[in-house]
Amino acid sequence: MIDLDFIIGHLNYWLFIVLMMTGLYIVVARGNLVKKIVGLNIFQTAVFMLYISIGKVTGGTAPIYPVDSQGHMQVDPSIIYSNPLPHVLILTAIVVGIATTSLALALTIRIREVYDTIEEEDILEIERKLSAEDNKIHGPAMGGRA
Amino acid sequence: MSAADSHYVAKTFMDHLPILQVVIPLISAPLIVFIGNRKLAWVIAMAASATAFVIACLLLAQVKDGSFISYHIGGWAPPLGIEYRIDALSAFVLMLISGIGTIVLPYAYTSVKTEIPKRQHVLFYALFMLCLTGLLGMVATGDAFNVFVFLEISSLSTYVLVAMGAGKDTRALTAAYDYLIMGTIGATFFVIGLGLLYMATGTLNMADLADRIANQGANRTVQAAFTFIVVGMGLKAAMYPLHHWLPNAYTYAPSAVTTFLGATATKAAIYVLLRFMFSVFNPGFYFEDWTLYLIFIPFSLLAMFAASFVAVFQTNLKRMLAFSSIAQIGYMLLGIAMLNATGLSASIVHLMNHGITKATLFMGVGAMVLYSGSAFFDNLNGLGRKMPLTGAAMVAAGLSLIGVPGTAGFISKWVLVQAAFENGWWIIAIAIMLSSLLAVIYVWRMFEVLYLTAPDEDCTATDPPLPMLIPMLILAFACIWFGFDTELTLGSARVAAEGLLAGSAGMAH
Amino acid sequence: MHHHLILRVVTKMLVGAIILFAFYVQFHGDFSPGGGFQAGVIMAVAFILYGIVFGLNKVKQVFPPWLVHKMIALGVLLYAGTGVASLFLGYSFLDYDAFNPHHPSHGQHWGILAVELGVGITVTGVMVAIYYAFANRPPPMKDEDW
């Protein structure tokens, strides 16, 4: 029995799960460094969506106290406000996401300048060759990538 | 002064210690960038780090008897406001992190001159102070989302610090990129867990969370939150099998960075794990028991054996020490899984003992790299004889890594075996001793290369300059000192473990 | 880019308006969506747009890199300095009541304005610095080989 109420009522959680899994899949499955960053961004955006969607209170308005002409705040306890806290948390998380993305892109640019490629398989090949040369000189090592 | 002020008592310097612990390194970072002078950068960093260490010691002195300090930021009372909460466990880890930061800075003064290009030095010290701020903030705060913010501050600076090793080996760039992707996934999992907790309880203050979760009972949201938080922080703590970023990041980063990170970054993550698992989620949380038995114990045993086994076959000393770190983190997680006071105090005291041991070892490696150019065993032949003081420090730290009686490492392994016997887990106790045997193998390899092989003819190595030598000797001395005088380390760890096991009752206001 | 007349003229007209809008968003953070981060990004967009249309060297004459780096540090120092100022006045860290003990709400107003200003300065600096860092890298292919 498909409980339609349950599905529609939890729509934001379904969307969050879909986006989160999409983002994680892209990070894992795509070999291009920039595409991995895109996947990471989608994953983080899913988390933002989760937080903001839970902040909405049914029938709630924007959580700002109105100010009358003299500049005094009018506090009316009967008005329902949406929860402002998740928005604050997400602002912080968005800024962190931007810093992470720009750092990842800067690293990608430098990797491109050094290895001339941004495909993960090619980079792994190059690094495997580098380690093989090291191992030829210094003896065989075990385990670990590169 | 109006009537409203007559009953406001101004706060003194000692009142502000919890926040100054974080604010002083935080201010030093932009100050270093603003002033922009290379020499002044080191002076400011050293001053801020030393002050942070003094503050951490003062805090530990205040909370050593099991009490806690609560500081309200912005004057807003918790649970609405952000509070900083220092108890014995926090103060202990704060002392470790700030102490390692202060000791690594003189070492870094000489080491970065050879490993990092000149124009990046100012940014190196700024990032170092930012990383220190992030780690200190993670430990000092009592608000769950604040942990995430400081976690990201420290992580982002760490990624850049690791990438700064690209001057010597370009694989540092891919190592930093991998660490970035994995670390961000871990931190985002932590945020998802926090979101689920917020949905279930409506608060972000850790003490308040503890109260409300205790009233919730077996709730799917809380269980899912627990899983996400454990996986997220487990990735940051290099819990097996989420350890993959560690060997590359430690091997290709500059020596000073590896020393600092190897002793602090994973320890702060384990602190957050401890805080959430015991103080926020009750130890009696039934889901937690299953998690500990089914997941922590098998994976930490795997870590102890597999990582030590891989470490034996490495040809690069730094890489070997990195895999050994993964194994030691396995010990700490095993101690957590024991769920008794002795096991927890073993984990906590191993945080410190392993921190100083690994810091000494990585410092020694960095000193040898100064003269030999790379950390491969081939290039380190006989350096123990040519650099006697460095070699002695590495011997002391190596013995501590194995757990020879008379060194700090023995204390933590001894308490861990005691905890296993308390639970009646003979097999686990035997496993601990067997993996220490594996540690003997790879540490013996190090001794053999350093002392029992003849040095190359054109080897010009001598003991490193004083700024590198003295921190190494201090730490090596600490390895041996804390093997005999355990009052500070084991005493604080026991108080901290009791506080943790009291669960959410331990977080009462 | 010296062919695109419309772009150049429109950019010259728009840059001033963008900066003005950034100031508007900065100071209206307590009445409407806005605040330091958003204002900082909008302000940075003005400079980045100018840089894209007129070239990196021109925008570096207006906003030299050393100034950008100092601005980043200055904003953070402003924010932390506000907190430390309240420490010196005897209150908790970032307790804005310290700035006006008689009327705490005015103190809050000034405190929030100060920290948002710090945030705006830093974010402007960071966004422009990211643009400079990425645009500065020499391309691996010369323009004639496109």
Side-chain angles (χ1 to χ4, degrees):
Chain A
M1 277 299 303
I2 303 179
D3 188 357
L4 214 55
D5 254 342
F6 177 78
I7 296 181
I8 302 287
H10 288 81
L11 191 60
N12 60 332
Y13 301 116
W14 294 115
L15 288 176
F16 157 67
I17 293 175
V18 166
L19 268 184
M20 177 172 100
M21 285 300 132
T22 310
L24 271 181
Y25 174 75
I26 298 176
V27 172
V28 170
R30 287 285 163 248
N32 188 317
L33 292 187
V34 175
K35 287 187 187 169
K36 282 184 198 283
I37 299 174
V38 170
L40 202 62
N41 262 332
I42 295 179
F43 176 44
Q44 287 177 321
T45 307
V47 177
F48 304 158
M49 250 188 54
L50 174 72
Y51 266 74
I52 296 182
S53 61
I54 63 174
K56 168 77 176 157
V57 172
T58 315
T61 173
I64 302 177
Y65 282 140
V67 177
D68 68 10
S69 46
Q70 271 99 20
H72 300 300
M73 276 193 319
Q74 294 163 313
V75 181
D76 186 353
S78 65
I79 304 181
I80 303 180
Y81 292 108
S82 282
N83 192 350
L85 184 61
H87 295 254
V88 168
L89 303 179
I90 289 312
L91 266 181
T92 312
I94 289 178
V95 176
V96 168
I98 289 185
T100 309
T101 306
S102 54
L103 182 55
L105 286 174
L107 277 174
T108 310
I109 291 183
R110 286 200 63 189
I111 292 180
R112 166 81 157 88
E113 287 176 357
V114 169
Y115 291 139
D116 215 18
T117 170
I118 54 173
E119 294 292 329
E120 193 192 11
E121 295 105 28
D122 300 341
I123 296 178
L124 276 179
E125 244 339 284
I126 298 177
E127 296 204 336
R128 222 171 275 142
K129 281 205 200 89
L130 282 175
S131 321
E133 307 221 340
D134 276 339
N135 289 349
K136 235 180 282 169
I137 309 176
H138 301 285
M142 173 209 206
R145 223 183 70 173
Chain B
M1 284 293 194
S2 78
D5 292 341
S6 57
H7 48 259
Y8 182 83
V9 180
K11 295 187 192 280
T12 64
F13 177 73
M14 291 296 280
D15 287 327
H16 293 304
L17 280 184
I19 191 63
L20 281 178
Q21 172 82 83
V22 179
V23 161
I24 290 185
L26 177 63
I27 291 194
S28 70
L31 204 59
I32 291 175
V33 175
F34 194 70
I35 295 184
N37 182 318
R38 226 163 31 93
K39 301 195 176 55
L40 268 184
W42 185 85
V43 172
I44 298 176
M46 188 69 196
S49 192
T51 318
F53 181 55
V54 167
I55 294 180
C57 292
L58 285 175
L59 283 174
L60 185 60
Q62 283 184 339
V63 295
K64 230 166 52 161
D65 51 358
S67 58
F68 68 90
I69 305 177
S70 170
Y71 185 90
H72 306 164
I73 294 195
W76 302 105
L80 286 176
I82 296 180
E83 77 167 320
Y84 271 32
R85 209 183 165 88
I86 314 278
D87 62 358
L89 180 62
S90 321
F92 188 66
V93 183
L94 282 175
M95 194 182 70
L96 169 70
I97 297 178
S98 52
I100 298 278
T102 315
I103 284 219
V104 169
L105 271 173
Y107 180 85
Y109 183 69
T110 321
S111 154
V112 303
K113 278 197 209 158
T114 52
E115 297 192 12
I116 300 180
K118 266 212 178 115
R119 57 188 176 80
Q120 290 181 352
H121 284 186
V122 170
L123 290 177
F124 172 82
Y125 288 116
L127 285 165
F128 191 89
M129 292 318 287
L130 273 181
C131 191
L132 186 64
T133 308
L135 292 169
L136 290 173
M138 250 167 89
V139 174
T141 186
D143 181 277
F145 200 77
N146 223 215
V147 171
F148 167 68
V149 171
F150 281 112
L151 172 72
E152 284 298 277
I153 293 180
S154 73
S155 301
L156 285 172
S157 357
T158 307
Y159 307 146
V160 183
L161 282 173
V162 167
M164 278 192 167
K168 290 203 89 176
D169 192 334
T170 56
R171 284 171 283 184
L173 293 173
T174 41
Y177 183 87
D178 286 341
Y179 187 12
L180 189 153
I181 300 280
M182 292 193 221
T184 308
I185 294 181
T188 315
F189 268 35
F190 183 71
V191 167
I192 296 177
L194 279 189
L196 292 171
L197 272 184
Y198 181 67
M199 278 188 246
T201 58
T203 174
L204 284 172
N205 181 292
M206 287 204 237
D208 205 30
L209 270 176
D211 287 336
R212 296 197 194 188
I213 289 177
N215 297 338
Q216 290 259 346
N219 183 338
R220 271 249 190 101
T221 313
V222 174
Q223 291 170 9
F226 178 72
T227 317
F228 273 110
I229 289 179
V230 165
V231 171
M233 288 321 285
L235 209 154
K236 285 288 179 181
M239 192 166 79
Y240 204 95
L242 304 163
H243 66 289
H244 196 69
W245 53 268
L246 202 148
N248 279 345
Y250 280 19
T251 311
Y252 301 122
S255 315
V257 171
T258 316
T259 312
F260 181 61
L261 287 184
T264 57
T266 45
K267 318 294 182 285
I270 291 185
Y271 164 84
V272 175
L273 253 184
L274 279 172
R275 184 58 76 197
F276 269 88
M277 284 177 69
F278 288 95
S279 297
V280 177
F281 293 93
N282 249 308
F285 190 33
Y286 88 102
F287 194 62
E288 189 163 316
D289 285 352
W290 279 107
T291 311
L292 288 177
Y293 294 149
L294 284 184
I295 299 189
F296 268 54
I297 294 188
F299 279 133
S300 45
L301 285 176
L302 253 182
M304 280 155 47
F305 282 102
S308 301
F309 194 65
V310 174
V312 169
F313 290 98
Q314 295 304 314
T315 49
N316 184 325
L317 185 52
K318 268 176 116 170
R319 212 175 173 78
M320 181 196 96
L321 292 174
F323 276 108
S324 149
S325 285
I326 302 176
Q328 302 291 319
I329 292 170
Y331 285 119
M332 292 179 224
L333 293 172
L334 191 60
I336 297 180
M338 305 255 181
L339 264 191
N340 53 21
T342 324
L344 271 182
S345 41
S347 288
I348 299 172
V349 83
H350 201 45
L351 280 182
M352 159 154 269
N353 291 340
H354 177 240
I356 47 185
T357 309
K358 265 299 148 51
T360 321
L361 283 169
F362 278 121
M363 277 194 190
V365 175
M368 293 192 224
V369 165
L370 257 192
Y371 298 106
S372 70
S374 82
F376 284 100
F377 280 132
D378 281 7
N379 295 354
L380 300 177
N381 280 330
L383 278 185
R385 293 193 234 162
K386 293 222 133 196
M387 308 166 75
L389 288 175
T390 313
M394 295 204 62
V395 165
L399 290 177
S400 178
L401 196 59
I402 301 175
V404 166
T407 58
F410 171 69
I411 301 290
S412 31
K413 295 226 172 106
W414 176 241
V415 183
L416 194 61
V417 171
Q418 256 186 330
F421 280 142
E422 252 184 56
N423 267 358
W425 295 346
W426 290 82
I427 307 193
I428 306 258
I430 297 182
I432 297 173
M433 294 190 256
L434 278 180
S435 57
S436 302
L437 284 182
L438 272 178
V440 172
I441 302 182
Y442 59 72
V443 175
W444 175 253
R445 260 194 99 190
M446 188 178 78
F447 290 166
E448 184 189 338
V449 164
L450 288 182
Y451 284 102
L452 298 182
T453 53
D456 299 331
E457 291 84 39
D458 51 350
C459 178
T460 56
T462 58
D463 270 322
L466 274 184
M468 282 177 98
L469 190 56
I470 297 196
M472 211 186 321
L473 290 178
I474 294 180
L475 279 180
F477 181 65
C479 280
I480 308 213
W481 175 266
F482 285 129
F484 291 108
D485 175 17
T486 61
E487 211 246 282
L488 175 66
T489 51
L490 202 49
S492 319
R494 286 235 162 87
V495 175
E498 313 270 316
L500 279 181
L501 275 180
S504 32
M507 290 215 93
H509 292 286
Chain C
M1 271 281 181
H2 44 262
H3 296 297
H4 305 278
L5 188 60
I6 297 184
L7 268 179
R8 292 165 66 212
V9 171
V10 171
T11 304
K12 279 192 185 171
M13 292 194 313
L14 273 184
V15 163
I18 295 176
I19 296 186
L20 199 59
F21 185 57
F23 278 123
Y24 167 79
V25 168
Q26 167 90 45
F27 290 114
H28 277 76
D30 28 354
F31 305 120
S32 64
F37 176 67
Q38 295 84 330
V41 176
I42 298 176
M43 177 88 79
V45 162
F47 290 102
I48 296 176
L49 178 64
Y50 189 78
I52 292 179
V53 174
F54 286 93
L56 196 57
N57 295 327
K58 276 275 178 70
V59 74
K60 277 192 185 172
Q61 283 173 354
V62 179
F63 200 6
W66 66 264
L67 184 61
V68 175
H69 297 151
K70 299 269 191 261
M71 261 178 70
I72 299 176
L74 185 65
V76 181
L77 283 175
L78 189 55
Y79 198 129
T82 313
V84 173
S86 61
L87 276 188
F88 278 129
L89 289 170
Y91 287 69
S92 297
F93 185 71
L94 279 182
D95 190 352
Y96 305 130
D97 291 345
F99 300 125
N100 201 335
H102 307 270
H103 295 287
S105 61
H106 288 180
Q108 296 277 335
H109 199 76
W110 280 111
I112 293 186
L113 271 181
V115 302
E116 288 294 317
L117 192 62
V119 171
I121 293 177
T122 296
V123 173
T124 309
V126 166
M127 292 298 157
V128 176
I130 293 177
Y131 170 67
Y132 280 174
F134 283 5
N136 247 337
R137 312 297 281 199
M141 221 195 307
K142 292 211 238 322
D143 280 333
E144 295 84 37
D145 300 333
W146 271 105

